[in-house]
Amino acid sequence: MAGSRGRAPGGGRGGAPLCRALLTACLLLLSPHAIAVDPHERLTDPALESRARAISAELRCLVCQNESIDESHAGLARDIRVLVRERLTAGDSDSKTIQTIVDRYGDFVLLRPPVKPATWLLWFGPAALLAMGLAGTVLWLRRRSVEPDASKALTQDEQQRLERLLQDGGP
């Protein structure tokens, strides 16, 4: 018994498979990019797969809305990833592949939508609100009176009391 410390009842090291399983689980949890794209989705050509991953990183998951389709596990994101790979395999250029996705799902599918009249509010709205806030603050500060208000002047009794306090050196 003394020589069996740290060993499983069968004589092998019982902790090693558990450690490997925990390590694998931690790696999968810490790297969601590694598990978003299913292995059967990947293209055999490394150059095409690299292009597909670059395009997928620019497209928004329409379900999650804060992730690219490359990161998302949603079914729709998977469908778009497959479509991107189909278009690239068919010989489409990167821009034509992206345009096919935009034609199907609209500009919202782009993580960086184009600057055009329909998206001006999205692009310039926050800056316009900030500029209006700053302009309002400057106007408010300029309109504030620097001189003391006449209605806040000391009464004669208050003035005499103040002079007495100053002469006596305190209350």
Side-chain angles (χ1 to χ4, degrees):
M1 269 318 240
S4 66
R5 181 185 289 177
R7 295 189 183 266
R13 291 175 38 200
L18 180 62
C19 286
R20 275 190 231 119
L22 287 173
L23 180 62
T24 302
C26 288
L27 288 174
L28 289 176
L29 289 174
L30 293 175
S31 61
H33 303 285
I35 59 173
V37 178
D38 294 331
H40 68 276
E41 290 179 34
R42 293 190 177 125
L43 299 172
T44 55
D45 181 1
L48 280 179
E49 179 61 24
S50 176
R51 287 174 54 201
R53 294 298 291 262
I55 291 171
S56 295
E58 295 179 26
L59 300 175
R60 177 189 320 274
C61 174
L62 299 171
V63 176
C64 308
Q65 296 187 3
N66 64 341
E67 291 181 326
S68 71
I69 63 168
D70 200 38
E71 301 167 332
S72 175
H73 297 283
L76 181 58
R78 182 196 169 282
D79 294 343
I80 297 172
R81 285 193 305 263
V82 169
L83 179 59
V84 165
R85 283 163 174 77
E86 287 173 0
R87 297 309 325 144
L88 291 175
T89 305
D92 286 357
S93 66
D94 292 3
S95 59
K96 187 165 191 247
T97 301
I98 291 171
Q99 191 57 49
T100 300
I101 304 298
V102 169
D103 290 345
R104 183 175 285 188
Y105 297 103
D107 284 332
F108 185 72
V109 77
L110 299 172
L111 282 172
R112 285 176 276 155
V115 179
K116 59 185 186 181
T119 61
W120 282 354
L121 185 62
L122 171 70
W123 282 102
F124 305 118
L129 285 174
L130 181 63
M132 289 188 309
L134 288 173
T137 302
V138 167
L139 287 174
W140 178 74
L141 289 172
R142 283 191 175 180
R143 287 185 180 171
R144 279 187 21 193
S145 175
V146 178
E147 298 175 18
D149 194 5
S151 64
K152 294 184 181 181
L154 297 176
T155 63
Q156 190 173 15
D157 290 338
E158 292 172 332
Q159 184 66 38
Q160 289 173 357
R161 183 169 179 238
L162 176 63
E163 288 173 7
R164 269 186 272 131
L165 288 173
L166 290 174
Q167 288 175 358
D168 294 339

